[in-house]
Amino acid sequence: MNIFVPASLKEKAKEVLLKNFEATGGKYVCPSWPHYPHQWLWDSCFHAIALAGLGLKDLAKEEIRRLFTFQREDGFIPHIQYKDKKVRIPVEAERFLYLNWRVHSAITQPPVLVRALKAINDSEFTLEVFEKTKRFFLYFIRFQDPDSDGLISNFIPTETGRDATPEYDRFYLRIKGWGFFGRTFNTAAYFAWLFWTEFKYRKMGWDIAYVARSPVDVEDLMFNCIWVDGMYILADLAQSQEEKEELQKFAKRTEDAIVERCWDKDHETFRCLAKDNSFIKTLTVSNLLPLLLPNLPHEYAE
């Protein structure tokens, strides 16, 4: 589907992206200078998509290449690569909890990476980063599926990209109503819980085998659907038929698990799952993401 975008809007978009690129010293496009000066994983993927659409493909490639400079051997890519060693208090207080807090964070973000490769649409570049991208996607099913049911678990809300998403409200004390005081209390309670949760994870060495013992375990619809979408695209980019079929198999397993386990037939909607595989009844934008699934049964889509 082609969407008409006025030339004036394209120029304004290009101006904003280039301005945020220059603000970092020409290293990457930050989300919003000076409020968000670092490089965020999925923000950069969206930046690369926009840059490619604006004819700045070389810049889009460099945006992706820089993400891989911090990739671990197991495939993990951190959700933040910090611009410098300066820590802004209280906004970045949790940074002290990361094992390598001067460099990058110790959690990841939704894997939009393959969508960026598709937008860049350069076969040589795809070949250059394919194996690294594959390792990133396989990381999630190897290390973040503790019950081996095909659904990826998230142990902290910031990993979903929706930092204060209500699916995690059940894990900390919050109050309803009370106007401004209630909102202030809930915000303070959330950040205190987030800090404490990340503190516990640091003590566990960010080892998923230990982290999985925590009651905080959400099989997030949006995260899983983005992963499935990316895996199918990655399969299409594979060089061999054998590899293509292997990646499709992984994608289909998780896609089937979403349809079979996350569909709430009584309310005709998909749900995120808690650690005991019960439905999380909260409705957010995440509940709509199964529409991304290529093999979603028509009656469910309706």
Side-chain angles (χ1 to χ4, degrees):
M1 179 177 66
N2 294 320
I3 300 174
F4 173 72
V5 180
S8 60
L9 184 58
K10 286 186 177 182
E11 286 305 312
K12 287 181 181 179
K14 186 182 292 188
E15 181 183 339
V16 169
L17 288 167
L18 290 177
K19 183 179 179 181
N20 287 341
F21 175 69
E22 292 166 3
T24 67
K27 295 178 180 179
Y28 56 90
V29 178
C30 69
S32 177
W33 185 268
H35 310 291
Y36 298 100
H38 311 301
Q39 184 180 25
W40 273 263
L41 173 56
W42 77 329
D43 291 67
S44 274
C45 293
F46 289 123
H47 294 161
I49 292 169
L51 290 166
L54 293 168
L56 301 170
K57 285 195 175 184
D58 287 341
L59 203 56
K61 294 175 191 175
E62 289 307 311
E63 192 79 7
I64 299 303
R65 284 190 180 107
R66 192 172 191 275
L67 291 174
F68 285 120
T69 60
F70 292 92
Q71 185 177 34
R72 292 193 318 224
E73 190 62 33
D74 61 8
F76 171 92
I77 300 176
H79 91 300
I80 303 177
Q81 300 183 24
Y82 292 109
K83 178 180 180 295
D84 48 43
K85 296 180 181 180
K86 180 181 178 182
V87 181
R88 298 182 299 168
I89 300 295
V91 182
E92 294 174 6
E94 64 182 304
R95 185 171 171 184
F96 289 105
L97 299 176
Y98 298 136
L99 298 181
N100 297 306
W101 65 268
R102 292 181 181 272
V103 182
H104 59 74
S105 66
I107 59 175
T108 187
Q109 262 183 337
V112 190
L113 194 53
V114 184
R115 278 285 173 181
L117 298 188
K118 187 175 182 179
I120 294 170
N121 192 27
D122 183 305
S123 56
E124 286 188 16
F125 179 68
T126 297
L127 188 61
E128 173 192 330
V129 300
F130 182 84
E131 286 302 320
K132 295 176 181 178
T133 305
K134 178 182 173 182
R135 277 195 289 126
F136 176 53
F137 271 78
L138 293 180
Y139 163 84
F140 293 106
I141 54 173
R142 288 173 176 165
F143 298 103
Q144 289 196 206
D145 180 13
D147 57 1
S148 301
D149 65 352
L151 295 172
I152 298 161
S153 289
N154 297 115
F155 307 102
I156 198 160
T158 43
E159 194 173 53
T160 70
R162 308 182 321 281
D163 297 359
T165 193
E167 287 92 341
Y168 289 80
D169 286 355
R170 61 174 59 198
F171 298 112
Y172 64 95
L173 176 65
R174 59 194 304 276
I175 58 177
K176 294 183 179 180
W178 294 15
F180 174 77
F181 174 79
R183 293 193 297 272
T184 303
F185 176 87
N186 289 340
T187 300
Y190 166 73
F191 279 108
W193 170 79
L194 187 66
F195 194 90
W196 173 245
T197 301
E198 294 194 47
F199 174 72
K200 289 192 298 181
Y201 288 175
R202 173 165 184 163
K203 287 181 66 178
M204 298 174 183
W206 298 91
D207 185 326
I208 295 298
Y210 290 101
V211 170
R213 297 176 185 174
S214 165
V216 185
D217 181 340
V218 174
E219 291 174 333
D220 183 70
L221 275 172
M222 191 182 89
F223 200 102
N224 279 274
C225 292
I226 289 175
W227 184 86
V228 170
D229 173 69
M231 279 295 279
Y232 276 122
I233 297 173
L234 195 64
D236 290 338
L237 298 175
Q239 295 295 301
S240 70
Q241 185 62 29
E242 182 181 3
E243 188 171 40
K244 179 185 179 77
E245 291 176 358
E246 177 193 29
L247 296 176
Q248 286 177 335
K249 183 178 178 181
F250 284 131
K252 187 68 165 59
R253 177 173 179 255
T254 298
E255 184 180 35
D256 288 345
I258 293 170
V259 173
E260 293 168 8
R261 295 174 179 268
C262 300
W263 178 249
D264 181 351
K265 63 181 180 181
D266 294 332
H267 296 88
E268 297 186 312
T269 191
F270 284 94
R271 305 280 191 187
C272 297
L273 299 182
K275 185 166 186 172
D276 60 0
N277 287 321
S278 63
F279 291 141
I280 296 175
K281 295 298 181 70
T282 307
L283 286 174
T284 70
V285 68
S286 182
N287 301 81
L288 293 173
L289 265 288
L291 290 170
L292 260 182
L293 303 177
N295 301 304
L296 182 67
H298 179 72
E299 62 271 22
Y300 291 179
E302 285 295 305

